[in-house]
Amino acid sequence: MTETLLDHHDAVLLDLDGTVYRGGRLAPGADEAIAEVRRNGVQARYVTNNASKPAQAVADHLNALGLQATADEVSTSAQAGAALLAEQLPAGAKVLVVGSEALAAEVEQLGLTPVRENADEPVAVVQGHSPDTGWWNLAEACLSIRAGATWVACNADATLPTERGELPGNGSMVAALRAATGQEPQVAGKPERPLLDRAVSSARASRPLMVGDRLDTDISGAVRSGMSSLMVLTGVSTPADALFAPVELRPEHIADDLRGLHLPHAVTAVGDQPGWKVRVEDGVLELSAASDQAASDQAESARVRERALGALRALCAAWWPVGTGQVAVRPADSASADALRELGIA
């Protein structure tokens, strides 16, 4: 029996925005893929850099979308940010909160005192995403950080994927304070380890798999944590981003969406792929079809897409050991030209 990618892991850490859903819509195949994870007895953990909602609200949203989720299966960067401060501060210490009431509640739950103004003399600042954050909130935090307050950012994502497109994320607000103070925050969310470590611990996992759409947060976090990773193409990062990624952002597996969890392990893995050959010469990757590809198959969009993803995995396997960054890619035949166009690398 062919082993799937899921068969190699005892827990799946699922990014949310761009991976499980995009705004109010499930990503393609997410419901059936996650249901199959549960049927196989593998732990699922929903891991989000968004600090604007409590874990229960995240679980409620997932259930409303047709998924099964409980609050204890959700790990948020608000939880990780509050925990990071609680490790460093005495009980009752005042923390200026830049973010939602959910973030303030996490701070209070861990025995710290949330405040909103610099006049309250906070010893720390915690910053998480909230659509209501304004100049006044940043000004209060700026004063506190300049006065020496410990600064923790729940995450540093520059953008937030929505149905409308990429909108400013917490990282954009963090950048404003970085520019105004000249200081660097401690970061609790992906790609740093605190958030992922909490999720792995809650699942008691020894062979976790991180699944996400962003190389700079999800995949980088997996690399830093020493765990395997699956990049899905339902969100921010593109096939070209994967091919040109530096070492610290490279996934071990690539699939179109969460259904890749149930494909054969050898299919999703970055490596040599049946049907494709890649030659590296003089700074050029030459992709060629290793066998005839029937026209009837090419008419089926799903087969065309999966074949193109095979080409991407083969290209990455050829380029990553010898180089990094941009590289010219050249098709050797019409089949490889079609695959590159499908991937947006033509």
Side-chain angles (χ1 to χ4, degrees):
M1 184 176 178
T2 301
E3 287 192 329
T4 68
L5 174 56
L6 184 68
D7 290 333
H8 287 243
H9 302 282
D10 59 359
V12 177
L13 311 187
L14 298 164
D15 171 60
L16 291 182
D17 292 324
T19 300
V20 173
Y21 57 69
R22 195 175 180 98
R25 299 177 182 174
L26 281 176
D31 49 353
E32 58 194 78
I34 295 172
E36 184 66 16
V37 168
R38 295 188 181 281
R39 283 194 290 270
N40 280 271
V42 175
Q43 293 280 336
R45 289 295 181 269
Y46 300 101
V47 184
T48 177
N49 263 1
N50 192 326
S52 65
K53 296 178 181 179
Q56 185 59 60
V58 174
D60 290 344
H61 179 55
L62 291 168
N63 284 308
L65 290 174
L67 303 176
Q68 292 183 0
T70 60
D72 60 4
E73 292 177 323
V74 175
S75 294
T76 73
S77 65
Q79 294 171 329
L84 192 57
L85 281 176
E87 294 170 358
Q88 303 174 56
L89 302 177
K94 294 179 180 178
V95 178
L96 192 150
V97 176
V98 180
S100 68
E101 288 303 315
L103 177 55
E106 294 292 347
V107 169
E108 188 170 25
Q109 185 173 333
L110 293 182
L112 303 173
T113 304
V115 300
R116 294 287 184 172
E117 298 183 16
N118 178 63
D120 292 317
E121 300 182 342
V123 297
V125 172
V126 64
Q127 183 176 8
H129 173 72
S130 170
D132 298 323
T133 295
W135 181 89
W136 180 87
N137 307 99
L138 297 179
E140 296 300 302
C142 179
L143 292 171
S144 297
I145 295 167
R146 281 183 168 276
T150 299
W151 180 21
V152 167
C154 292
N155 73 294
D157 296 15
T159 61
L160 182 69
T162 73
E163 302 104 316
R164 298 171 58 198
E166 300 296 314
L167 301 181
N170 192 53
S172 296
M173 300 295 188
V174 169
L177 280 181
R178 184 185 292 117
T181 65
Q183 301 299 311
E184 286 289 334
Q186 301 175 48
V187 178
K190 301 170 288 183
E192 305 302 330
R193 292 192 58 161
L195 175 57
L196 295 183
D197 286 347
R198 284 174 60 86
V200 171
S201 177
S202 77
R204 296 184 175 88
S206 59
R207 294 174 289 115
L209 174 71
M210 180 67 218
V211 186
D213 67 297
R214 297 184 71 129
L215 296 179
D216 60 344
T217 55
D218 306 316
I219 305 307
S220 177
V223 172
R224 296 185 190 199
S225 300
M227 70 178 74
S228 297
S229 61
L230 168 65
M231 174 194 181
V232 293
L233 299 171
T234 47
V236 174
S237 296
T238 67
D241 292 333
L243 177 58
F244 304 140
V247 174
E248 66 272 14
L249 303 185
R250 291 173 177 173
E252 295 179 24
H253 298 265
I254 301 173
D256 232 3
D257 53 49
L258 289 177
R259 288 171 289 196
L261 290 167
H262 309 296
L263 292 175
H265 182 275
V267 168
T268 59
V270 170
D272 293 339
Q273 296 283 315
W276 296 108
K277 292 181 180 179
V278 182
R279 185 163 62 101
V280 185
E281 186 175 354
D282 298 328
V284 175
L285 294 181
E286 184 179 79
L287 176 70
S288 60
S291 59
D292 291 337
Q293 304 189 36
S296 59
D297 283 347
Q298 292 182 8
E300 302 174 23
S301 60
R303 295 287 296 275
V304 170
R305 182 64 177 174
E306 182 51 42
R307 192 173 291 120
L309 289 175
L312 173 62
R313 298 175 191 119
L315 286 165
C316 291
W319 174 237
W320 288 354
V322 298
T324 187
Q326 295 281 332
V327 62
V329 184
R330 180 175 64 207
D333 47 54
S334 60
S336 55
D338 291 342
L340 293 177
R341 278 194 295 270
E342 177 70 23
L343 296 169
I345 302 177

